[in-house]
Amino acid sequence: MHICYVVAMRAEARPFVEAYGLSKVDGFFVPLPCILYDGMAGDCRLSVVLNGEQHGTDLVGCEAASVATMAAIERLHPDMVVNSGTCGAFKAQGASIAEVFVGNGAMFHDRRVPGDDGFATQSLGNYAVWDGSRALAERLGLKMGKVTTGSSLDMQPCDLAVIQQHGGQLKDMEGAAVAFVCSLFHTPLLLVKSVTDLCDDGAATFEEFTKNLSAASQSLNEANQRIINRLSAL
């Protein structure tokens, strides 16, 4: 089995890239900025594709995630894509910092396209995930939550209204974009998210994200190792 992780930030990917001793493949995606790490996890081929960098920082957000996912699927032909990263969540829903969730679906929360039901459906997305996601989460004792994606780190009241209306629990900047591309290629998708900030605790989002990124990335690494071990046995 070939599992391909699509990850936005170096900090999110570094722990399990190092844990599996994956090798960087220089120039694989040129002229795109995406970065490939490749190797084996037991009998399973494991690839990690980063969005890349621009202006000295990690490329985050929907556009970069879409490019990385499309490039990864077209050039690597994986059996499954895993979008792994950090996210915001809600204290009122029982989430805590550095807690890891498996996504049970993905949608956009900030694409407001007026028009008939067809445009509304397209703008929200509501993409499906791999049908084994729930069984995997239950097996590993991980909570599940609906991933909602937007292009900004902060959250406006209109975004929150959409999230609440559609049962969103996890807020990120990549998940639905990865899901959109996977839906076009009919590639199974698993979403794995670790909480860096609680959207409803009154703290400034960027400060919370920065403070908790290391801890959330470490718990993400631990969960991903368990997930990879389980997937490699399929």
Side-chain angles (χ1 to χ4, degrees):
M1 184 178 190
H2 183 187
I3 303 170
C4 179
Y5 273 69
V6 175
V7 186
M9 301 184 69
R10 291 165 291 179
E12 297 166 334
R14 186 179 297 115
F16 66 97
V17 166
E18 293 176 350
Y20 287 96
L22 304 182
S23 299
K24 186 178 181 182
V25 183
D26 291 323
F28 185 83
F29 288 110
V30 171
L32 301 177
C34 312
I35 299 168
L36 172 64
Y37 291 87
D38 203 53
M40 298 296 294
D43 295 330
C44 178
R45 181 181 174 190
L46 178 60
S47 301
V48 175
V49 176
L50 294 173
N51 293 351
E53 303 171 29
Q54 196 172 62
H55 306 301
T57 59
D58 295 305
L59 281 165
V60 299
C62 298
E63 295 87 353
S66 296
V67 169
T69 305
M70 185 168 182
I73 293 175
E74 286 193 321
R75 302 193 191 188
L76 295 170
H77 308 289
D79 298 302
M80 175 181 290
V81 167
V82 182
N83 175 227
S84 172
T86 55
C87 69
F90 295 87
K91 185 177 180 180
Q93 296 179 356
S96 57
I97 297 297
E99 185 174 17
V100 178
F101 288 77
V102 171
N104 59 17
M107 61 171 282
F108 292 100
H109 61 245
D110 66 348
R111 298 207 302 189
R112 293 170 288 277
V113 182
D116 59 22
D117 288 345
F119 277 112
T121 299
Q122 179 206 129
S123 63
L124 287 171
N126 276 320
Y127 304 106
V129 294
W130 174 51
D131 57 12
S133 295
R134 181 167 299 279
L136 177 69
E138 291 175 352
R139 178 93 178 189
L140 299 179
L142 299 174
K143 292 181 183 178
M144 298 195 79
K146 187 173 186 179
V147 175
T148 78
T149 298
S151 294
S152 299
L153 185 65
D154 66 358
M155 179 175 62
Q156 299 301 310
C158 52
D159 299 334
L160 178 59
V162 173
I163 292 170
Q164 291 177 333
Q165 179 184 353
H166 294 275
Q169 294 159 283
L170 308 170
K171 174 187 172 294
D172 80 343
M173 296 178 66
E174 288 88 21
V178 176
F180 165 65
V181 177
C182 286
S183 73
L184 299 180
F185 285 92
H186 305 288
T187 301
L189 170 68
L190 178 67
L191 295 165
V192 186
K193 301 291 173 176
S194 182
V195 178
T196 52
D197 55 282
L198 298 171
C199 302
D200 55 350
D201 71 349
T205 302
F206 183 73
E207 283 75 7
E208 284 286 284
F209 168 78
T210 303
K211 180 177 71 174
N212 297 316
L213 178 59
S214 178
S217 296
Q218 187 54 49
S219 64
L220 191 64
N221 169 48
E222 294 168 1
N224 275 320
Q225 290 193 49
R226 297 171 64 208
I227 287 169
I228 292 167
N229 289 342
R230 184 65 188 163
L231 292 178
S232 64
L234 296 178

